[in-house]
Amino acid sequence: MKKFFFSFICCILWANWSLAQSKTYCNPINLDYGFTPIPNFSEAGRHRATADPLIVNFKGKYFLFSTNQWGYWWSDDLSKWNFVSRKFLLPHNKVYDELCAPAAWVMGDTLYVIGSTHTKEFAIWKSTNPTVDDWKIAVPAFEGAAWDPAFLYDDDKRLYLYYGSSNTYPLYGWEINPKTLQPIGERKELVRLHDDQHGWERFGDYNDNIFLKPFIEGAWVDKHNGKYYFQYGAPGTEFNGYADGVYVSDNPLGPFTYQKHNPFCYKPGGFIRGAGHGGCFKDNFENWWHITTGVVTVKNNFERRLVLFPTGFDKEGIMYSNTTFGDYPHTLPNGKADHLKSRFTGWMLLNYNKPVQVSSSLSGFAANYAVDEDIKTYWSAATTNKGEWIQSDLGAISTVNAIQINYADQDVDSMYLGKFTNIYHQYRLWHSLDGKKWQILVDKSQNRTDVPHDYVELPKPVETRFIKLENIHMATGKFAISGLRVFGKGKGNVPKSVKGFIVLRQEDDKRNAWLKWYPESGAQGYNIHFGIAPDKLYSSIMVYGKNEHYLKAMDKNTTYYFSIEPFNENGVGQRTEVIKVE
């Protein structure tokens, strides 16, 4: 009888979690990502992968398309995503990629979709009811034959195609007849990389550019206050510094001018890194957002996830994304917001590098990899069995607001190539004040959905010290966690402002600088803020456990301004005075 009563209560708790509407989100976005469908991309292990995303706001709903998902998602609120299974390629399209780097755009009451192709054999599809699999062929073969395509339907009812992906060729623009959906006239060369001037465009994880030319890809154009913002990704999708830059023009086909603040979306540090090849959209409250690609790149260079950042334009028309604390909880839109105001909740990471206990460990996958704030490393239990667990000590009683569970792919069965809609995770989260007496915090033992980056915002904050994650059922592979991340507020002191912050810019190559500061006692890490003016410190770099950083992402002929702030589980310390660096 007691066992029945306990199960009944757990079911009620789980139902309440399902019904509760989340007010916040946390990167990487929790989607039921498919597995790479390409066998030779997964020789080091089957794994989830996607990239090159876009979100289209169509009839008040958000439609999300990305690479190789055998379908797409839609949402009412950017929180709960509903997957629609759909293959857009026709039998004569003999490629693995379904779809690769898709394009989607709205004309009138219709949503249009096409994928990347070097051939002229891909169809353009259309739908007026895309919340279900209800699509028709708009054009059986698109003569544009575009790789990494993007479309802009302008307010004068003219349609434009932008595309390209290469470390040799530029990005192009082409006008498209909106009735025939075929090109008009000749394509036009629009943007090339200039890595000799722009440090962030150089190839390599640290922009070293030692053996390959950098790649430009992921064209995307938005119109704002009469200006056209041409966005592009560089220097390569496998790097932490993968970012999105922007050029600006008065005309949809240029000429385009490099924006002084670049890259406009940049996230080389933190748990999930990278912010390249994405697209912008407006929510239902007219707020701008940028959906883009974060990197994992452990089992393959193309192992990636999706990340979402608030975006805006300042009074001078400078476009930027706010990536500060970009993988901590942020608020979802519920009204028109000041784009200069951060959506960061202020909930800090409570268990960075704190003590961990586990039920078992697979050799080479240590327990502390689950709390080291690096999605590339992970702990794995020895089995996939029910009852395997990981326990995190917050170090002191703290206020817990939310928890993110990031599963890793370890020893996934070889059958997992492509999208599977019948897999799911089940778990329980427990909490304790002393590590001895435990109470249920979250019960998803009845869950039937695939949640590889599950994020749970608690309906009420909880005062506790220990968090335990108990496995009930794994979707695939062993019970493996790249990040058990507990968010809230500690009860100690916020770190003091950093002392001795200096920026040494290289004299003979202004793209490079060495940043150094005195370590601040009690700081988990630091946010380095920099930009093109004291009031435009729009770029940030999160650094954990170090008191130096080599920055090779600057533009050679730009004067920069820098400041730094420390943070820990108790909050964010005061920023230093702004330093001018010429």
Side-chain angles (χ1 to χ4, degrees):
M1 185 67 182
K2 289 182 179 179
K3 184 177 181 181
F4 172 80
F5 180 74
F6 178 76
S7 299
F8 177 73
I9 293 298
C10 288
C11 288
I12 293 175
L13 288 170
W14 178 81
N16 287 338
W17 284 116
S18 300
L19 292 172
Q21 182 178 4
S22 179
K23 298 177 182 177
T24 60
Y25 76 98
C26 189
N27 287 318
I29 301 173
N30 183 34
L31 298 166
D32 52 331
Y33 299 97
F35 295 79
T36 178
I38 306 173
N40 66 341
F41 278 18
S42 58
E43 292 174 352
R46 301 295 196 246
H47 61 273
R48 299 172 189 267
T50 195
D52 322 316
L54 65 95
I55 289 178
V56 175
N57 190 335
F58 179 60
K59 298 181 179 179
K61 298 183 185 297
Y62 307 103
F63 291 85
L64 168 55
F65 299 84
S66 65
T67 290
N68 284 338
Q69 294 305 291
W70 298 7
Y72 56 94
W73 296 270
W74 68 270
S75 174
D76 288 312
D77 57 6
L78 299 177
S79 175
K80 182 181 184 300
W81 291 95
N82 308 280
F83 185 73
V84 179
S85 294
R86 169 75 197 189
K87 289 192 176 182
F88 289 96
L89 298 187
L90 298 170
H92 61 270
N93 301 134
K94 303 296 185 183
V95 295
Y96 275 116
D97 296 315
E98 169 64 74
L99 292 169
C100 180
W105 74 99
V106 177
M107 289 196 302
D109 66 347
T110 305
L111 179 64
Y112 295 82
V113 171
I114 190 173
S116 292
T117 177
H118 288 303
T119 75
K120 299 181 180 181
E121 299 175 348
F122 273 24
I124 296 177
W125 296 83
K126 64 180 182 179
S127 176
T128 58
N129 183 31
T131 58
V132 296
D133 182 11
D134 182 12
W135 294 84
K136 297 178 181 178
I137 292 177
V139 173
F142 178 54
E143 293 293 319
W147 195 255
D148 282 11
F151 290 80
L152 172 69
Y153 186 55
D154 209 345
D155 45 26
D156 62 1
K157 298 185 178 181
R158 296 174 73 175
L159 181 64
Y160 299 93
L161 164 69
Y162 305 92
Y163 71 98
S165 177
S166 174
N167 66 344
T168 302
Y169 300 106
L171 298 182
Y172 299 97
W174 213 343
E175 186 167 2
I176 304 296
N177 187 316
K179 294 183 178 179
T180 65
L181 296 181
Q182 298 296 355
I184 301 172
E186 299 295 324
R187 70 179 185 180
K188 190 173 182 179
E189 179 179 321
L190 297 181
V191 171
R192 286 182 178 269
L193 293 183
H194 297 280
D195 54 303
D196 60 326
Q197 298 294 316
H198 309 147
W200 71 275
E201 292 180 351
R202 288 179 290 181
F203 200 68
D205 212 21
Y206 302 98
N207 303 116
D208 294 313
N209 194 19
I210 56 174
F211 64 98
L212 271 182
K213 292 181 179 180
F215 286 79
I216 186 171
E217 58 186 345
W220 183 270
V221 177
D222 288 297
K223 189 176 184 180
H224 175 70
N225 286 348
K227 299 284 187 180
Y228 297 87
Y229 291 79
F230 188 104
Q231 301 147 52
Y232 64 101
T237 192
E238 60 268 53
F239 302 128
N240 290 341
Y242 193 36
D244 280 329
V246 62
Y247 281 70
V248 187
S249 178
D250 294 324
N251 300 292
L253 291 177
F256 286 91
T257 302
Y258 184 78
Q259 181 177 270
K260 191 174 181 182
H261 165 63
N262 257 312
F264 82 91
C265 191
Y266 181 58
K267 191 183 180 300
F271 177 70
I272 178 74
R273 304 162 202 162
H277 192 149
C280 293
F281 67 96
K282 282 185 181 181
D283 65 30
N284 292 328
F285 307 101
E286 295 296 303
N287 304 300
W288 284 93
W289 297 82
H290 189 61
I291 178 78
T292 190
T293 307
V295 302
V296 180
T297 63
V298 172
K299 292 182 170 61
N300 185 267
N301 282 355
F302 299 104
E303 183 182 7
R304 298 160 293 178
R305 299 293 190 268
L306 305 186
V307 287
L308 179 67
F309 302 114
T311 295
F313 303 83
D314 69 16
K315 60 184 179 181
E316 283 83 30
I318 298 293
M319 183 181 196
Y320 69 95
S321 289
N322 189 339
T323 65
T324 303
F325 290 110
D327 49 34
Y328 283 34
H330 277 55
T331 58
L332 288 161
N334 61 0
K336 180 64 176 174
D338 180 355
H339 68 270
L340 291 173
K341 186 177 180 180
S342 173
R343 287 186 173 273
F344 173 45
T345 60
W347 301 341
M348 308 307 296
L349 184 65
L350 298 174
N351 62 331
Y352 169 64
N353 274 351
K354 297 287 181 70
V356 178
Q357 295 182 33
V358 295
S359 54
S360 67
S361 287
L362 188 66
S363 178
F365 300 90
N368 280 84
Y369 286 153
V371 294
D372 68 352
E373 277 301 274
D374 187 350
I375 200 171
K376 297 174 184 288
T377 62
Y378 57 90
W379 162 76
S380 177
T383 75
T384 189
N385 295 344
K386 179 180 179 180
E388 294 275 20
W389 54 266
I390 178 170
Q391 176 183 315
S392 180
D393 180 357
L394 307 184
I397 294 174
S398 306
T399 303
V400 176
N401 294 84
I403 298 172
Q404 187 188 44
I405 301 167
N406 298 275
Y407 290 94
D409 297 320
Q410 179 60 36
D411 293 334
V412 174
D413 191 276
S414 61
M415 67 175 283
Y416 286 98
L417 289 169
K419 183 72 176 185
F420 290 79
T421 58
N422 60 344
I423 59 177
Y424 55 93
H425 299 85
Q426 293 176 341
Y427 64 84
R428 291 189 186 100
L429 280 169
W430 301 83
H431 78 98
S432 173
L433 291 170
D434 58 6
K436 298 176 181 178
K437 296 180 181 179
W438 294 89
Q439 292 179 286
I440 194 74
L441 183 64
V442 177
D443 192 331
K444 289 200 174 182
S445 60
Q446 304 300 314
N447 176 59
R448 301 293 294 186
T449 58
D450 186 15
V451 287
H453 298 279
D454 206 15
Y455 171 71
V456 179
E457 177 186 346
L458 303 180
K460 292 182 180 180
V462 172
E463 301 295 313
T464 196
R465 174 171 172 173
F466 297 89
I467 299 292
K468 180 187 286 187
L469 171 63
E470 176 196 3
N471 180 49
I472 303 298
H473 176 81
M474 275 295 294
T476 58
K478 289 185 169 61
F479 182 48
I481 303 293
S482 63
L484 174 59
R485 309 176 73 215
V486 183
F487 295 101
K489 276 291 181 73
K491 300 186 184 301
N493 296 323
V494 171
K496 296 178 181 179
S497 183
V498 170
K499 302 292 192 300
F501 180 53
I502 59 172
V503 180
L504 302 175
R505 194 167 188 179
Q506 186 174 333
E507 286 292 334
D508 59 348
D509 190 342
K510 296 286 188 178
R511 297 172 296 178
N512 308 326
W514 181 35
L515 286 66
K516 186 80 173 176
W517 58 93
Y518 296 139
E520 173 57 34
S521 176
Q524 281 182 350
Y526 308 86
N527 285 319
I528 301 166
H529 301 275
F530 67 102
I532 58 174
D535 61 343
K536 299 183 189 296
L537 305 185
Y538 297 149
S539 296
S540 70
I541 304 169
M542 179 177 273
V543 178
Y544 280 101
K546 296 180 181 179
N547 64 312
E548 65 178 355
H549 181 74
Y550 288 92
L551 177 62
K552 299 181 180 181
M554 296 185 293
D555 291 342
K556 186 173 286 187
N557 298 318
T558 298
T559 297
Y560 287 92
Y561 298 80
F562 287 82
S563 180
I564 189 171
E565 65 187 11
F567 60 86
N568 63 14
E569 63 268 35
N570 307 309
V572 184
Q574 185 177 351
R575 288 192 191 187
T576 60
E577 292 185 4
V578 176
I579 298 173
K580 182 179 181 180
V581 180
E582 295 183 296

